[in-house]
Amino acid sequence: MFDTLWKNLHIATMLPAAGQDTGYGIINNAAVGIKDGRIAWIGAAQELALPHENLAEYVLDGEGKWVTPGLIDCHTHLAYAGSRAQEFEQRLEGVSYEDIARAGGGIASTVRSVRETSEDKIFDQTLFRLLTLFRQGVTSFEIKSGYGLDLESERKLLRVATRLRDDYGFRLQRTFLGAHALPSEYKDRADDYIDLICETMLPTLAAEGLVDTVDAFCEHIAFSAGQVQRVFDKARALNLPVKLHAEQLSNLHGARLAAQYQALSADHLEYLDEDGIKAMKDSGTVAVLLPGAFYFLREKQLPPVDLLRRHGVPMAIATDHNPGTSPCLSLLLMLNMACTLFRLTPEEALAGATRNAARALGWQDNLGTLEIGKAADFVLWDISHPRDLCYVFGHNPAIGVVKDGEWHGFAG
Ligand code: NIG
Ligand code: FE
């Protein structure tokens, strides 16, 4: 006996066909039985005993709509204050992203806004962003800190994420990104700031239960591989998984370093080389591609998608929502850009926001595909094939989501 039986659906389970690592996993004329928030049965409706009314407390008619797993945005900086629209204008006048950062703008300007803004205000702004994504079928998120850069302000951002999880029920992973940029008070003292992270910020925030994973920005405008390694050593000592912003603007061999620490993911990766790819393959590290930042910075260097594919490194797609390089509130748009800009197939792009995004968060046992035992977490779409999610852009065909078995309709 199910709690709920959904019938009259077409389902893209995103489960790869046997022996393959691609495929939409389509089941036409399908049904899903839900028990205690989990998938208790999924398959072709004709395989179910009749009458369906005897199988569940509630039988719901999907009216022939399409279902995919709930989308997962596995790389975001959704908690922050302030806007960087002015820098967008500056860049249109010819100033580069790096020049703006070196002149005290960029990440540092968002840090100033975060330090000046109350937790409650940041909470409200972050809630708005999360809800915008949720209404497009995003049921799971990652949120990084990294715009506070001192103990108190990083705590503020991680508390916002924690409250959104605990008080509003958003499923989200909280990532400590203290090593995002050098705060101005540590100018020319990067190693001292890394000391502060390793000796005070990370252990304190972890002890307060505010940290699920640890990230860093390995780049010539941020931190060296050696400095990142110190942060990763501390994370390892605290039993926290790591991930890394790597090879975004140059190749500092961050992906290889991340792989040495069995990182969940290495992200951006425009300048990734084959050595890094092989290391990621060996460690099971997911390649998170971020077409929003590539597009918004008008990058020319494409991530090595063909090589990633050839080596069988799983690719995920995320918004990288942040005020500087990707002020984007549509994961669906990112799927389209992953296809048009990075040449992923629609099937790869959709897997990138479901199956592989779940892996990038270490949540693959519970999410990312629709199969018995996993969370009853899926989106109902008004589309005629799952590829439409990547094809149409600037449109939101989500009708509603089932999250942990519960229906949230978006009508009206
Ligand atoms: O993921 N790459 C580093 N961090 C952000 C950008 C941060 C900013 O400019 O505010 C990113 O793209
Ligand atoms: Fe990022």
Side-chain angles (χ1 to χ4, degrees):
M1 185 82 180
F2 308 127
D3 298 332
T4 312
L5 178 69
W6 281 87
K7 59 180 204 176
N8 198 9
L9 299 167
H10 301 297
I11 301 182
T13 63
M14 298 314 288
L15 249 181
Q20 291 176 17
D21 55 9
T22 58
Y24 290 115
I26 288 176
I27 314 173
N28 286 117
N29 304 314
V32 191
I34 300 172
K35 180 87 189 154
D36 299 327
R38 315 199 75 78
I39 298 175
W41 191 89
I42 183 164
Q46 71 206 35
E47 291 165 23
L48 282 172
L50 290 169
H52 292 156
E53 282 58 35
N54 289 353
L55 297 175
E57 200 166 332
Y58 301 99
V59 178
L60 301 173
D61 186 349
E63 297 174 355
K65 304 296 186 209
W66 275 88
V67 160
T68 68
L71 303 185
I72 300 170
D73 197 351
C74 67
H75 177 141
T76 87
H77 309 248
L78 283 160
Y80 64 87
S83 158
R84 304 249 292 278
Q86 230 181 337
E87 290 180 8
F88 178 51
E89 289 181 328
Q90 266 181 292
R91 286 200 292 114
L92 284 162
E93 283 157 14
V95 190
S96 76
Y97 178 69
E98 279 116 318
D99 286 344
I100 291 171
R102 285 198 192 92
I107 295 173
S109 100
T110 304
V111 170
R112 285 191 292 276
S113 307
V114 163
R115 289 181 179 180
E116 283 163 9
T117 307
S118 72
E119 182 181 310
D120 284 346
K121 264 214 179 110
I122 298 176
F123 180 91
D124 290 346
Q125 294 174 16
T126 309
L127 174 61
F128 167 81
R129 296 175 193 126
L130 277 174
L131 283 172
T132 306
L133 286 160
F134 183 71
R135 289 190 194 109
Q136 294 166 34
V138 182
T139 57
S140 305
F141 303 83
E142 188 250 16
I143 295 187
K144 301 175 195 296
S145 68
Y147 287 118
L149 307 186
D150 60 29
L151 176 62
E152 189 191 333
S153 312
E154 287 292 296
R155 179 188 283 126
K156 185 157 69 176
L157 296 176
L158 291 166
R159 273 182 49 86
V160 164
T162 305
R163 285 170 56 194
L164 287 161
R165 185 194 66 178
D166 295 349
D167 301 350
Y168 278 73
F170 285 105
R171 182 184 293 117
L172 55 87
Q173 180 170 91
R174 303 156 307 166
T175 299
F176 172 70
L177 177 57
H180 191 197
L182 192 60
S184 56
E185 62 273 21
Y186 278 86
K187 192 171 175 337
D188 300 323
R189 294 191 296 132
D191 286 318
D192 292 349
Y193 180 61
I194 296 291
D195 286 345
L196 177 76
I197 287 177
C198 295
E199 286 160 24
T200 308
M201 288 164 74
L202 179 51
T204 307
L205 296 169
E208 290 172 12
L210 294 171
V211 181
D212 302 313
T213 56
V214 176
D215 193 355
F217 187 16
C218 187
E219 195 52 71
H220 55 87
I221 55 167
F223 297 98
S224 70
Q227 289 163 339
V228 169
Q229 196 166 354
R230 292 182 51 211
V231 177
F232 281 4
D233 281 333
K234 190 71 210 184
R236 183 178 268 175
L238 294 167
N239 241 330
L240 293 168
V242 299
K243 53 183 86 173
L244 188 63
H245 283 71
E247 273 79 278
Q248 181 186 11
L249 308 168
S250 63
N251 185 356
L252 299 188
H253 306 290
R256 198 174 57 199
L257 173 69
Q260 280 163 14
Y261 285 78
Q262 278 75 47
L264 289 168
S265 68
D267 305 40
H268 285 287
L269 303 175
E270 278 81 347
Y271 288 82
L272 177 64
D273 61 21
E274 195 163 5
D275 274 353
I277 292 177
K278 285 184 184 154
M280 288 173 70
K281 174 65 187 172
D282 291 343
S283 60
T285 299
V286 176
V288 178
L289 306 179
L290 303 167
F294 174 90
Y295 160 81
F296 200 63
L297 292 178
R298 301 184 78 232
E299 290 290 345
K300 298 287 177 288
Q301 173 90 15
L302 284 160
V305 166
D306 253 342
L307 270 182
L308 287 165
R309 213 181 253 140
R310 230 177 296 149
H311 286 278
V313 176
M315 294 180 278
I317 304 296
T319 62
D320 189 20
H321 178 95
N322 76 73
T325 66
S326 190
C328 165
L329 283 173
S330 171
L331 187 54
L332 291 177
L333 178 59
M334 297 301 100
L335 297 190
N336 175 269
M337 285 190 184
C339 298
T340 52
L341 301 175
F342 294 169
R343 313 311 288 168
L344 266 68
T345 65
E347 201 180 284
E348 286 173 326
L350 190 57
T354 53
R355 186 170 71 235
N356 292 340
R359 278 181 74 165
L361 299 178
W363 288 353
Q364 64 273 21
D365 291 342
N366 192 37
L367 296 164
T369 56
L370 297 176
E371 49 188 310
I372 291 176
K374 285 198 177 182
D377 186 286
F378 54 84
V379 193
L380 223 68
W381 303 102
D382 190 6
I383 53 177
S384 39
H385 188 277
R387 66 171 80 93
D388 295 352
L389 296 173
C390 301
Y391 164 66
V392 180
F393 60 101
H395 170 61
N396 176 16
I399 298 164
V401 302
V402 169
K403 186 170 164 281
D404 297 317
E406 223 176 277
W407 171 247
H408 304 263
F410 302 147

